Amino acid sequence: MRFILGMFTGAALLMATAYMHDNGTLRFGPDQSFVNWPQVQELASRMQNGLSNAWATHVKGA
């Protein structure tokens, strides 16, 4: 259980640090962005739409 909690905590810290770096809050490393944020936003939107469609099909349709 601690291992799984550690994995989620590490992933959250990684994303938070990359976000702060890319927005200029933290000053370290290269000047270019670590993450392609428009691509992340597109993937998150596609995932949300897919989950919404799956929920509507399997739960509401049942």
Side-chain angles (χ1 to χ4, degrees):
M1 185 67 181
R2 280 189 254 166
F3 176 76
I4 294 171
L5 181 61
M7 293 293 286
F8 283 120
T9 303
L13 284 172
L14 177 69
M15 291 300 293
T17 304
Y19 182 76
M20 289 190 297
H21 171 269
D22 290 350
N23 285 329
T25 305
L26 299 176
R27 305 274 184 214
F28 65 91
D31 291 335
Q32 65 191 24
S33 295
F34 286 149
V35 178
N36 185 357
W37 293 106
Q39 182 70 27
V40 170
Q41 184 178 11
E42 179 188 340
L43 290 173
S45 176
R46 288 174 50 199
M47 184 175 68
Q48 182 181 9
N49 289 338
L51 289 173
S52 178
N53 290 338
W55 180 267
T57 302
H58 297 294
V59 175
K60 291 184 180 178

